[in-house]
Structures are given as C-alpha cells and as structure tokens.
Amino acid sequence: MKPRLPYLITLLLAITISACSPEENTSIAPEDTNEFIYSNISYPLTSAIINNDNNANSLGIRLFNKTSSQITSNVDLDDIAYVYFDLGTESIQNTTYNNIENYAISINGSIVDSEFNPETILLSNNDPDSDVFAQSGSVTITNFTAYNIVFTFTFTRTDGQVITGRYDGNYLAPNGIN
C-alpha cells in the first residue's frame, strides 16, 4: 500500500487544483507593462533616465529596453529600443505636457564606443516634411517622486500612425533632478 500513497496524494492535489473556477485563477490583475506600442507591436521599456542636458529649462526623459547600468556602462550594446522627449520645463509636475518639440523614438539601435546610433527611426522632430514627424504629442505624468515616475505618452505622426506608451518605475537622474 505504501508505494501507492504518493500517487494518491498527487491525484488528489491535481483534482483540487483543477476544481478551481476560472474566476478564482484570474482574480489577480496583471501589472502594467512598461512599453511603447507602434503598429500593434509592443516594445518593452526597462529603464528611464531623466536629465537636463545642461539646460535648466529643458528636462528630457530617455527610456530604454536595457537597464540604466547597461546604458551607462560604456559597453557596446545592440537591439536598443529608445524613446526620448523633452518636456520643455525646468521641473517635472503631475500634469499633461502638450507642447513636445523635441522627441525621438527608434528601434534596433546600438551603442558603439559610447555613441548611440538609432537604426529604425519611428519618430523624429528633425524633418517636418517626413512621415516620422509628429503632428501632435502629449505626455501625462501622474506621479513623480524622488525615486519613481509614472506617465503615459501618445504621439501621432504626420502619416497618421500613433505611438503610445507608458512607464511606471524607478529612474536614474545623473544631474540630481527631483
């Protein structure tokens, strides 16, 4: 009888687990994903770096699919998803910024010899006559503390393509921005 006891316990455990209703198994809400979405494809975002590029009236947020330690390590990297926008302000507030003049979003980028090289540019303010120029853009910050930032963003390109994204997490602020 003893050799059958482990099988019996396993069978009872399997029946108990399978007897749970689907509502009980899905009661935990999924966590928000840090990502941007373009053309129904999701690109994960792992880290945020906030700095002022030595311009007191110009706070920029950079998002990457790599960790901040990878980005700042001076090691060559590839397959980088990158989001950048300048809020055009000297301090970050919990508000919606609608006048985003400097922005860039790219995928498949690389860092070689400490230089970032975008590969596939999805959004850029460099050429107002191109399809990758934004006809509108907004960033809504809902929480900003000394350690965490939560925001969403939406850009509509001149060709009608929409890029949306969100980030909720820690950030690196090399210039001590708070």
Side-chain angles (χ1 to χ4, degrees), residues 28-106:
I28 298 173
E31 292 184 31
D32 286 339
T33 302
N34 294 335
E35 66 184 350
F36 75 89
I37 299 170
Y38 170 75
S39 198
N40 293 323
I41 299 172
S42 173
Y43 299 90
L45 297 170
T46 305
S47 63
I49 299 175
I50 302 173
N51 63 6
N52 63 9
D53 293 332
N54 298 320
N55 182 350
N57 294 325
S58 181
L59 283 177
I61 297 177
R62 287 171 172 77
L63 303 165
F64 300 92
N65 65 331
K66 309 288 184 189
T67 65
S68 56
S69 61
Q70 287 175 304
I71 294 296
T72 59
S73 70
N74 295 325
V75 173
D76 292 353
L77 297 171
D78 17 341
D79 193 32
I80 297 174
Y82 172 72
V83 175
Y84 166 74
F85 42 83
D86 184 337
L87 297 176
T89 183
E90 60 189 38
S91 66
I92 296 177
Q93 304 296 319
N94 293 341
T95 189
T96 297
Y97 297 89
N98 290 310
N99 191 18
I100 310 295
E101 294 180 7
N102 296 313
Y103 49 84
I105 298 178
S106 64

